[in-house]
Amino acid sequence: MGSIEEPVVEINDNKPPGIRFIEYIKGSSISYKTHQVIVLTVTFFAYFAYHATRKTTSIVKSALDPQSPDVDLKSPFSWARAYSHNRPSLESSKNSWILGSGWAPFNGSNGTALLGELDVAFLFVYAMGMFFSGHVGDRMDLRIFLTIGMVGTGLFTSLFGVGYWANIHLFYYYLIVQMLAGLFQSTGWPSVVAVVGNWFGKKKRGLIMGIWNAHTSLGNITGSIVASLLLKYGWGWSMVVPGLGIALIGIVLFLLLPVSPQSVGASIDDEDDHEVLSSKKVGEDITEPLLRTISDDRDAVRFLDAWRIPGVAPFALCLFFSKLVAYTFLYWLPFYISHTAIEGRYLSNEEAGNLSTLFDVGGVVGGILAGHISDRLGARAITAASFMYCAIPALFFYRNYGHLSMTLNIILMLITGMFVNGPYALITTAVSADLGTHSSLKGNSRALATVTAIIDGTGSIGAAIGPLLTGYISSQSWSAVFTMLMGAALIAGLLLTRLVMAEVAEKIQGSRAREGTCARSPVMDV
């Protein structure tokens, strides 16, 4: 046993400094399962931090433009009215230091429009940067790439908050900072999914990644709570503290994250972990590893070639509409709640914000449930499509009956969050990892980040378009917004029809094969 462990500790210089230090103290190499625990933990908190910093701007909006959420509660929000650009007065600029007076240029009549422009700019740069990040991520050390992304995200998130103390009232300063923050944020998702996909095989990937994906919702909730608590000390703190937090976690990631088993010399033969990385039956008792050791020596898959991998295009387009629905709720749900009377009473901004977090709670349940079901069925497309179809009646009931009572609103919001975020979580995690290690790649693992970037990048374009369309459509009625969301959910499900039919045919064929085996077994016994 010692002869196997010592070379791993002494020869491999590519190990993260923290791993080498732990092994030095321990006097032996870390087991494969311990590496897996480290990977899940570090990447969980990494993307938790990404989402916590992403959520802060939606909370800070109430301090930058405090008038907009409470204006004319009974009439629908008009995006056109918000886009009447009037320059803030010198007096309003001077009063920006006073708590509750807002912050120029966002506290004028066009404040909502300017904040909307920040959101759209951030999301579009994030979506475009995703494609670029996946391409780069498959060609360099993901540990270094993630560290750069996290520190950069922390820097520009903090610089947004620095505008508070520097008394900056130039809109283009905040616009440029948000765009650069979106660019660095785009490094996160392709990279963490690629790392987790390197360490976990297909057998229980859906459940594992469903639980792991809770970082998205928990990051949103934590970001909301932290930013809200810090607002009373000045809105700048609500940006700077989360920014420093993600930078700190980025340094921890640099010290500890093992990118792949090959990069740290970990072997599945160390323990009984062969099953973990085996998903494809070749014979009765033989399994073929999902990722092969030789894969690191191959060239990374090109962008257009990654699009041609079977299943990538349908799932990417499905996520476009799925994420359109999810991000419309992310950006507009607190506003919708505060402008909709529940039991005849309008909730305050704080109450609406707190209530909206239940959508993310339902999302956590949905992500875990979708992952577990897809593992048990061995059918990702059937699971994702079924959830999207179930989201349609959930959206209908929430819109039409959610205002009748607080209890009913909470129940329907949890159910809606479960069905909306379930397929979104499944596609961006397990499906992306599955397709990034597709059999057509012949064991080449250097496609994970690119495939993940294609799928989530396409989805992020929908994430930018959904909130933008909602601004226009809500000027007519919120019922029209929910009709749009139900239509998007329907299209998302229909886009997977061909894959669903293929999975159904595969299940029928497998069932017939098993029946044939059972029918022949008595003859063989005789």
Side-chain angles (χ1 to χ4, degrees):
M1 200 51 117
S3 59
I4 295 175
E5 292 173 347
E6 286 173 11
V8 176
V9 178
E10 294 175 3
I11 316 177
N12 198 330
D13 294 326
N14 295 323
K15 290 185 178 182
I19 297 291
R20 277 186 281 171
F21 179 75
I22 292 172
E23 290 184 336
Y24 174 77
I25 297 297
K26 184 182 176 184
S28 61
S29 62
I30 295 176
S31 70
Y32 195 91
K33 284 186 177 179
T34 303
H35 276 105
Q36 288 180 313
V37 171
I38 292 173
V39 167
L40 284 179
T41 303
V42 173
T43 54
F44 181 94
F45 282 104
Y47 213 70
F48 171 95
Y50 271 109
H51 259 266
T53 54
R54 192 178 306 172
K55 185 66 175 177
T56 52
T57 51
S58 66
I59 302 300
V60 168
K61 284 178 183 177
S62 62
L64 300 178
D65 182 22
Q67 300 92 342
S68 59
D70 299 319
V71 173
D72 197 9
L73 290 179
K74 294 184 180 180
S75 64
F77 171 75
S78 170
W79 191 268
R81 183 170 67 248
Y83 262 93
S84 58
H85 286 266
N86 296 320
R87 295 180 62 83
S89 66
L90 180 63
E91 188 63 28
S92 66
S93 228
K94 289 178 180 177
N95 289 337
S96 288
W97 285 93
I98 303 173
L99 185 64
S101 65
W103 188 266
F106 305 105
N107 60 349
S109 60
N110 63 336
T112 303
L114 295 178
L115 291 170
E117 288 174 10
L118 292 185
D119 290 340
V120 172
F122 174 90
L123 288 169
F124 268 109
V125 171
Y126 174 78
M128 295 301 104
M130 189 79 71
F131 297 113
F132 174 77
S133 296
H135 182 77
V136 175
D138 276 326
R139 287 161 175 79
M140 69 176 290
D141 189 332
L142 287 172
R143 179 169 61 93
I144 296 174
F145 189 56
L146 265 171
T147 302
I148 294 172
M150 295 180 74
V151 173
T153 297
L155 172 64
F156 289 105
T157 301
S158 298
L159 283 177
F160 192 104
V162 166
Y164 172 76
W165 292 284
N167 201 23
I168 297 174
H169 300 281
L170 181 65
F171 170 71
Y172 289 103
Y173 168 82
Y174 298 102
L175 181 68
I176 292 171
V177 166
Q178 274 293 83
M179 292 172 71
L180 290 172
L183 181 63
F184 279 96
Q185 280 260 357
S186 68
T187 61
W189 192 243
S191 302
V192 295
V193 171
V195 172
V196 174
N198 284 338
W199 283 95
F200 293 89
K202 197 173 180 179
K203 188 176 180 182
K204 294 182 180 179
R205 181 183 280 163
L207 176 60
I208 291 171
M209 292 189 115
I211 297 171
W212 171 78
N213 192 62
H215 52 49
T216 299
S217 297
L218 292 177
N220 289 339
I221 294 169
T222 304
S224 298
I225 294 172
V226 171
S228 298
L229 289 174
L230 293 173
L231 270 181
K232 59 186 176 183
Y233 302 107
W235 65 263
W237 289 109
S238 298
M239 301 297 294
V240 170
V241 171
L244 294 175
I246 191 173
L248 179 62
I249 294 175
I251 295 171
V252 174
L253 179 142
F254 176 79
L255 295 174
L256 288 174
L257 183 66
V259 172
S260 67
Q262 295 79 29
S263 68
V264 293
S267 172
I268 57 176
D269 295 325
D270 287 345
E271 296 188 21
D272 57 342
D273 294 303
H274 182 70
E275 263 188 87
V276 178
L277 286 184
S278 303
S279 63
K280 186 177 178 183
K281 282 268 186 177
V282 177
E284 288 297 318
D285 300 311
I286 305 173
T287 55
E288 178 185 342
L290 185 64
L291 301 178
R292 299 174 184 170
T293 309
I294 59 173
S295 62
D296 284 346
D297 298 327
R298 305 185 188 184
D299 293 332
V301 174
R302 292 179 297 181
F303 183 78
L304 291 178
D305 291 335
W307 268 105
R308 297 189 187 102
I309 296 172
V312 168
F315 273 114
L317 294 173
C318 173
L319 188 64
F320 175 95
F321 291 97
S322 174
K323 211 165 179 180
L324 183 153
V325 179
Y327 267 65
T328 297
F329 271 87
L330 177 68
Y331 281 91
W332 283 96
L333 185 57
F335 184 92
Y336 170 75
I337 293 173
S338 65
H339 288 66
T340 303
I342 301 175
E343 296 183 8
R345 185 178 77 89
Y346 289 101
L347 301 182
S348 68
N349 294 325
E350 184 179 355
E351 290 173 323
N354 291 334
L355 181 60
S356 69
T357 59
L358 294 176
F359 181 82
D360 285 308
V361 174
V364 173
V365 177
I368 296 172
L369 192 61
H372 178 63
I373 292 172
S374 69
D375 280 342
R376 293 293 299 269
L377 295 178
R380 309 289 196 209
I382 292 175
T383 305
S386 299
F387 268 68
M388 290 312 308
Y389 292 138
C390 290
I392 298 172
L395 289 164
F396 175 82
F397 285 118
Y398 180 70
R399 168 58 184 166
N400 289 281
Y401 301 103
H403 65 280
L404 296 179
S405 74
M406 181 62 72
T407 302
L408 196 58
N409 190 288
I410 290 172
I411 293 172
L412 292 174
M413 190 188 301
L414 288 168
I415 293 172
T416 303
M418 181 178 71
F419 286 123
V420 168
N421 280 354
Y424 161 39
L426 179 66
I427 294 171
T428 54
T429 55
V431 169
S432 296
D434 289 350
L435 295 175
T437 55
H438 194 269
S439 58
S440 63
L441 297 170
K442 298 178 181 178
N444 187 353
S445 65
R446 298 189 66 191
L448 270 169
T450 300
V451 169
T452 303
I454 287 173
I455 293 175
D456 201 44
T458 305
S460 295
I461 297 174
I465 292 174
L468 182 63
L469 289 177
T470 299
Y472 285 104
I473 298 173
S474 64
S475 64
Q476 304 302 317
S477 75
W478 277 103
S479 294
V481 171
F482 276 83
T483 300
M484 175 194 74
L485 297 179
M486 287 186 282
L490 176 62
I491 295 171
L494 292 175
L495 284 167
L496 297 179
T497 300
R498 185 175 61 84
L499 296 178
V500 169
M501 292 175 66
E503 287 183 349
V504 170
E506 183 183 351
K507 295 299 173 189
I508 293 173
Q509 186 178 1
S511 178
R512 287 175 178 172
R514 283 192 298 271
E515 287 175 4
T517 304
C518 292
R520 288 194 300 268
S521 59
V523 178
M524 293 174 66
D525 291 339
V526 173

